[in-house]
Amino acid sequence: MIRPERIAHVVLKVRDLERSKKFYTEVLGMDVMSEISMPRILFLANNRRDHHEIGLLEIGPQAPTPPANAVGLVHVAFRLRSEAELRAAHKELKEKEVPISFTVNHGITKSVYFFDPDGYELEVYCDNPPEEYAKLPNSYMGMDKLDFAPDDPGLADVFARMQQ
């Protein structure tokens, strides 16, 4: 049996590498670790911790968007250290007019889900203390909206849209 130490990186196909580079460096604060011209690919990491955590492979502007009901990636999550950092991240996403998908208190985490320029759903989250979620029947599937994001959709809104 293979037992990886951890997930090391994710590579995403993007239409415009420069647009995505700007988003991942200016919105998510990732560091450029390397860039290759053929194929056009960019390697990014948080805090220069690894040689890369995200790879972005340019496939061109003609690339179609996969249908919502197709098999594929749901989202990529980035862990923050605290709720204060999550609140600050939410504020910054709003200021930079990044589209918010929804916010949710899952129980085990508080999360803000949003979209990158190619429509990939990303998540920034912080862990909740165990005493906050220990009494919940399912600490992974809380549905409450975040109290600091009353104007954004919640997870229940997303599920309601999926049923239409």
Side-chain angles (χ1 to χ4, degrees):
M1 176 181 300
I2 298 170
R3 294 196 177 266
E5 174 193 1
R6 64 183 174 133
I7 294 173
H9 64 267
V10 174
V11 178
L12 304 173
K13 294 183 269 186
V14 300
R15 292 180 184 91
D16 181 329
L17 193 61
E18 288 306 313
R19 178 182 70 174
S20 294
K21 178 180 182 178
K22 182 176 172 67
F23 178 85
Y24 283 85
T25 58
E26 294 181 12
V27 174
L28 288 174
M30 297 187 84
D31 296 319
V32 173
M33 303 303 288
S34 185
E35 195 166 350
I36 297 171
S37 59
M38 193 56 175
R40 290 208 59 211
I41 190 164
L42 178 71
F43 300 97
L44 302 154
N46 292 105
N47 307 307
R48 307 190 77 74
R49 188 174 38 232
D50 288 307
H51 48 78
H52 72 290
E53 295 167 322
I54 299 274
L56 301 174
L57 173 66
E58 184 177 73
I59 58 172
Q62 78 292 344
T65 299
N69 64 347
V71 171
L73 180 72
V74 175
H75 69 269
V76 176
F78 298 88
R79 183 173 181 226
L80 302 175
R81 291 177 197 89
S82 67
E83 185 174 335
E85 284 189 10
L86 183 64
R87 286 174 181 264
H90 177 264
K91 182 176 186 266
E92 186 168 341
L93 291 168
K94 297 295 259 188
E95 288 170 353
K96 291 185 176 180
E97 299 181 356
V98 174
I100 304 291
S101 178
F102 64 95
T103 72
V104 63
N105 183 343
H106 281 302
I108 199 160
T109 66
K110 288 182 178 149
S111 303
V112 175
Y113 292 80
F114 57 98
F115 296 104
D116 86 345
D118 286 284
Y120 285 109
E121 192 169 64
L122 305 175
E123 172 191 9
V124 286
Y125 75 94
C126 65
D127 288 330
N128 280 325
E131 59 273 11
E132 191 170 321
Y133 63 81
K135 298 174 190 148
L136 298 172
N138 183 345
S139 60
Y140 281 84
M141 254 341 263
M143 303 267 292
D144 295 337
K145 281 173 62 164
L146 297 179
D147 60 351
F148 61 83
D151 298 331
D152 292 320
L155 186 54
D157 299 318
V158 172
F159 287 143
R161 281 195 309 261
M162 291 169 72
Q163 300 301 317
Q164 296 174 352

